[in-house]
Amino acid sequence: MRSLIRPGDHNEQVADVQARLRALGHTIDDEAGQFGEATKSAVRTFQQEREILADGIVGPDTWTQLVEASWRLGDRTLYLKYPPMRGDDVRTLQGRLNALGFDSGREDGIFGINCDRAVREFQKEYAIAEDGIFGPMTHAALNGLRIDRPGLTVGLREEIRKDQAPGLDQALIVVDPGHGGGELGIVGSRGSVEADICWQLATRLAERLSFTGARVRFTRTEAEGPDQTTRAQRANDLGADVLISVHLNATEEQTAEGSSTFFFGGSRSGQSLAEKIQDELLALGLRDCRSHPRSYSILRETRMPAVLVEPVFISNADEEKKLEDPEYVRALADAIVRGVRRYYEESL
Ligand SMILES: [Zn+2]
């Protein structure tokens, strides 16, 4: 993965970022290759549009999004391959196929098995060679159509899937402990390490969840720190019914405190789960930093309702101190489990 591109940098990579942002309609009046205020502001706006952390720095997530955002439907031939093709052209295709009633799954911009199946079904219905390849012929057929047939929306698909899903006592819950494997995450002013606390909280969470009868698996071992895509892939391969990713929040503002949960925008089930977990964390007396849609890879690339939980701020010394008490960590885990339990009970 390329390194961070940040304000103050002056190089070819910055010029590349600027060119990509301009192509997306952003105005930047910094000198070419100079990461000044205008570039930072454009990066921030772009990050907000894409629902990723708006820090004005181009890290791996932002870079991936910049590349994906540049694809328009028709720019290239789309088909199922490994690793899958990604981009806004795929997202557009998914949206249009879904609107036509061909179920291409979540509109996540990743050309997967559902998208392949939907393209083939579309080709079959419109008498085009049924090869699953979205090329000029299929594009022309799609453009010749008015998109007004009521189709199954992603939300409705999720509802149906949930109706068929097992109860919590038969569910497979995958817990994703943030960071690890030498990647520490944020270190608090009192010396607490995010990776360690995530592991501790995940372990408590797994223990409490297993009391409900659910089967629980992790996305990583204690020694590992796989990337987000690998974690998502592991949860998909396990066939998880729900994924809960555990992190801690942090900001430069040291008084910031409270709980946030995140879900993939457009996933109604993910939102419902995120809001229920958030409610239960607030019942512990935590400040409400709300539930937010985000397109983090761990949420976007997983195929089940997925929630990223940041119950407290490690950058807040008071909240960091509370985390030193194992009972407090256990209380956080219990609150998350209550949220999961309510999600299962109230969706039946
Ligand atoms: Zn984290």
Side-chain angles (χ1 to χ4, degrees):
M1 206 97 75
R2 51 168 58 208
S3 55
L4 299 180
I5 308 168
R6 49 169 84 241
D9 288 357
H10 191 165
N11 55 40
E12 281 297 304
Q13 292 189 334
V14 176
D16 191 358
V17 167
Q18 290 169 331
R20 285 173 187 275
L21 286 167
R22 285 203 184 95
L24 294 168
H26 295 270
T27 320
I28 302 166
D29 53 18
D30 288 336
E31 184 194 326
Q34 176 67 51
F35 202 131
E37 277 308 311
T39 305
K40 185 177 175 188
S41 155
V43 169
R44 272 212 154 107
T45 307
F46 173 76
Q47 289 171 324
Q48 279 160 359
E49 285 164 7
R50 308 291 289 190
E51 295 177 345
I52 51 179
L53 184 67
D55 57 5
I57 297 169
V58 180
D61 261 8
T62 304
W63 177 252
T64 302
Q65 294 277 349
L66 271 172
V67 171
E68 293 186 13
S70 59
W71 291 107
R72 292 283 163 270
L73 192 60
D75 284 355
R76 57 179 175 170
T77 298
L78 299 171
Y79 56 96
L80 183 64
K81 66 196 257 298
Y82 190 83
M85 300 179 81
R86 296 150 171 268
D88 282 20
D89 50 350
V90 177
R91 199 189 304 262
T92 304
L93 175 62
Q94 290 168 323
R96 296 183 65 180
L97 288 169
N98 281 341
L100 281 167
F102 299 95
D103 174 25
S104 67
R106 295 211 308 196
E107 291 163 29
D108 55 9
I110 303 170
F111 197 112
I113 290 165
N114 290 335
C115 195
D116 172 70
R117 195 190 307 123
V119 168
R120 287 172 193 274
E121 282 168 9
F122 173 84
Q123 290 175 325
K124 189 173 173 188
E125 187 145 338
Y126 292 89
I128 305 164
E130 217 184 299
D131 56 7
I133 296 171
F134 185 82
M137 278 287 287
T138 313
H139 192 199
L142 192 66
N143 278 341
L145 296 166
R146 283 187 46 217
I147 314 280
D148 54 6
R149 246 173 53 178
L152 288 176
T153 65
V154 175
L156 183 54
R157 290 291 312 170
E158 284 193 342
E159 294 304 313
I160 293 168
R161 202 181 133 184
K162 204 159 71 180
D163 286 346
Q164 298 163 343
L168 179 55
D169 57 346
Q170 289 164 39
L172 174 62
I173 312 279
V174 169
V175 175
D176 173 46
H179 309 281
E183 202 266 287
L184 304 181
I186 305 288
V187 179
S189 61
R190 299 172 56 86
S192 300
V193 173
E194 183 183 359
D196 295 344
I197 297 171
C198 291
W199 183 262
Q200 198 192 342
L201 179 53
T203 308
R204 286 285 155 265
L205 184 56
E207 175 192 291
R208 303 310 240 211
L209 278 169
S210 65
F211 293 157
T212 69
R215 287 175 301 137
V216 185
R217 297 282 182 279
F218 280 6
T219 54
R220 67 168 178 93
T221 62
E222 188 167 7
E224 282 182 302
D227 65 24
Q228 301 293 308
T229 296
T230 303
R231 293 168 193 249
Q233 192 61 50
R234 287 178 181 175
N236 291 342
D237 291 347
L238 285 164
D241 294 301
V242 156
L243 174 124
I244 301 167
S245 181
V246 178
H247 282 255
L248 299 172
N249 211 335
T251 170
E252 284 170 19
E253 178 48 65
Q254 291 174 6
T255 56
E257 59 166 37
S259 170
S260 324
T261 56
F262 304 93
F263 55 94
F264 181 72
S267 168
R268 264 193 250 170
S269 304
Q271 180 168 6
S272 163
L273 179 60
E275 288 172 354
K276 289 181 170 71
I277 292 173
Q278 177 72 355
D279 280 354
E280 295 297 333
L281 286 165
L282 297 186
L284 298 179
L286 290 162
R287 191 169 158 259
D288 187 4
C289 302
R290 299 172 190 275
S291 296
H292 305 271
R294 288 287 184 273
S295 50
Y296 299 146
S297 298
I298 191 71
L299 302 177
R300 191 177 71 142
E301 295 172 21
T302 39
R303 293 281 161 268
M304 69 295 308
V307 174
L308 189 144
V309 184
E310 292 186 339
V312 296
F313 279 78
I314 193 171
S315 52
N316 177 308
D318 293 337
E319 294 202 327
E320 185 191 357
K321 183 160 189 280
K322 286 185 192 168
L323 291 169
E324 291 165 11
D325 178 2
E327 282 305 319
Y328 188 71
V329 174
R330 193 166 294 137
L332 294 174
D334 281 337
I336 296 170
V337 173
R338 282 195 295 275
V340 175
R341 196 191 283 276
R342 272 184 51 209
Y343 168 78
Y344 271 92
E345 287 168 359
E346 292 171 23
S347 64
L348 290 178

